[in-house]
Amino acid sequence: MKNKTLITGVAGAIGSVFYKAFQKRFPAKSLLGVDNFKSGTLFNLVDFKGEFCDNDVSDVNFWASLDPDKIDAIYHFASNVDTCDYNSVEQFKNVNALKCITSFCSINNIPLLWTSSASVYGNQTGKFKEDMDLYPESPYAISKMLAENVVRQYQEMFPEAKVITIRPFNVYCGEAEKHKGKMQSMPYQMLNTLTYSNKMELFAYGEQCRDFIFVEDLVDLMLHAMYNSEKSEIFNGGTGTACSFNELFNIFKELMAQNAEIVYKPKKVKHFQTFTCADMTKVETLLNWKPKFDLKAGIVKMIEDFNCFLKHKG
């Protein structure tokens, strides 16, 4: 009997927020969570009510140990999240994971939702549409594009298979991403830095623009897409609005009543998207979905959660 929903990367920033939303919406569902803690933390599993196993989802032996007759759906968030990691072997695990998962899904036609990345678009102008050509520039972005190729080949072999691919833009999560170090979102980095300092370092000259989406909106989009899409689709996971780092800094200054200043530094990252903005037309048309949080509202929520954490910690 199919009675378990599998969530990979369940101890990560997105995965942990997702399982909480899933448990709330579907309290009768059984969950199986998987994480190898390379980019996740046990602290994110405090509220997890399902079965958990510590495994690498790019390992074929893990998938061979599961019974496909018991899995009703898979939500795949496990990934090498270090976009600055140039180790091709490590990044290719993103591809191997999709090979394992699609092979497993094919046995019993199990629906799959997984996260690719907006980095596959590379440096392009205008809003990014799902049917645009892709120009990934980093090993991380290339691995996500190759993983999408795996999914495409799987769909060609199994036309009835349902695979929802989400390309998240710049996701900010708050305390769920505290453990991520240098890979924390820019909003969280600003919040954490300005809590303890009145200076914020940015790559010169803070004019980089990003489409920032609050994690609660992204999770809501994922659930909406999985349950309202009749067939396989690729969807952008953004808001349709871009904001510069300078503008983001000013939002924090206002909300935190901070008399802070920016210190600009040279850009040292090899591959850096100077602009990202999702075209959300497909999502709005096919799913009738729009984000609930604009950037300022999302940051207000993140600050509230951060202050609650500090109070509880103190």
Side-chain angles (χ1 to χ4, degrees):
M1 177 182 177
K2 289 181 176 291
N3 60 355
K4 283 187 179 180
T5 297
L6 175 60
I7 303 175
T8 78
V10 70
I14 295 175
S16 62
V17 177
F18 180 87
Y19 84 69
K20 292 174 186 177
F22 192 90
Q23 287 178 164
K24 186 175 180 179
R25 293 196 193 191
F26 309 105
K29 285 269 192 180
S30 296
L31 290 181
L32 173 60
V34 188
D35 208 296
N36 65 357
F37 297 114
K38 185 170 182 179
S39 56
T41 173
L42 273 172
F43 288 107
N44 281 347
L45 294 177
V46 171
D47 300 310
F48 186 65
K49 295 179 173 60
E51 178 186 350
F52 177 80
C53 52
D54 171 12
N55 287 94
D56 187 329
V57 294
S58 64
D59 183 356
V60 294
N61 294 321
F62 165 69
W63 295 99
S65 71
L66 298 178
D67 183 354
D69 290 330
K70 294 183 178 180
I71 307 296
D72 60 9
I74 297 176
Y75 294 88
H76 173 51
F77 308 123
S79 176
N80 181 346
V81 298
D82 188 348
T83 59
C84 298
D85 184 355
Y86 284 78
N87 185 320
S88 296
V89 173
E90 287 299 312
Q91 292 292 4
F92 199 76
K93 288 182 179 179
N94 292 333
V95 185
N96 284 333
L98 264 297
K99 290 181 178 179
C100 292
I101 293 171
T102 52
S103 176
F104 182 81
C105 288
S106 68
I107 299 173
N108 226 357
N109 195 22
I110 300 169
L112 166 67
L113 180 144
W114 74 288
T115 49
S116 178
S117 169
S119 65
V120 297
Y121 292 112
N123 277 293
Q124 302 193 56
T125 58
K127 292 190 174 184
F128 300 168
K129 299 186 69 172
E130 291 91 342
D131 59 358
M132 291 173 65
D133 290 336
L134 306 181
Y135 298 99
E137 297 183 351
S138 68
Y140 170 82
I142 294 169
S143 77
K144 290 294 189 177
M145 183 199 71
L146 293 176
E148 288 196 17
N149 290 346
V150 170
V151 169
R152 188 178 303 109
Q153 292 162 5
Y154 166 63
Q155 292 170 303
E156 290 173 355
M157 292 176 63
F158 302 93
E160 299 303 313
K162 179 178 177 179
V163 183
I164 305 299
T165 300
I166 305 291
R167 291 173 179 163
F169 278 64
N170 291 80
V171 188
Y172 59 104
C173 307
E175 286 308 295
E177 59 176 309
K178 178 181 175 65
H179 65 285
K180 291 178 65 176
K182 67 179 182 178
M183 296 314 301
Q184 293 167 349
S185 69
M186 181 53 65
Y188 187 82
Q189 289 185 48
M190 282 193 180
L191 171 57
N192 192 53
T193 299
L194 296 179
T195 298
Y196 303 102
S197 171
N198 63 353
K199 296 183 185 298
M200 182 71 209
E201 290 188 347
L202 293 179
F203 291 145
Y205 288 97
E207 297 170 354
Q208 310 92 327
C209 287
R210 294 284 183 270
D211 187 337
F212 295 103
I213 181 169
F214 190 42
V215 66
E216 291 184 18
D217 272 333
L218 180 66
V219 165
D220 185 63
L221 169 60
M222 290 171 173
L223 289 169
H224 204 77
M226 189 63 141
Y227 285 91
N228 291 279
S229 298
E230 296 182 359
K231 60 184 182 66
S232 296
E233 297 284 0
I234 297 175
F235 292 115
N236 281 333
T239 67
T241 302
C243 175
S244 74
F245 287 6
N246 288 331
E247 292 171 319
L248 180 67
F249 176 78
N250 287 330
I251 292 174
F252 274 102
K253 277 186 65 175
E254 175 192 346
L255 293 175
M256 299 177 73
Q258 255 278 26
N259 186 24
E261 62 181 30
I262 299 174
V263 178
Y264 294 109
K265 61 180 181 178
K267 178 173 69 68
K268 296 181 179 180
V269 179
K270 293 180 183 178
H271 297 100
F272 188 80
Q273 284 177 290
T274 57
F275 175 86
T276 69
C277 189
D279 186 313
M280 298 299 287
T281 304
K282 182 177 180 180
V283 170
E284 293 173 6
T285 302
L286 295 186
L287 300 178
N288 192 29
W289 184 91
K290 290 185 178 182
K292 296 181 177 68
F293 294 88
D294 61 20
L295 181 56
K296 190 171 183 178
I299 291 173
V300 167
K301 179 71 163 55
M302 190 171 67
I303 291 174
E304 290 173 351
D305 293 345
F306 185 81
N307 288 336
C308 286
F309 171 78
L310 291 181
K311 184 177 180 181
H312 176 73
K313 184 179 179 182

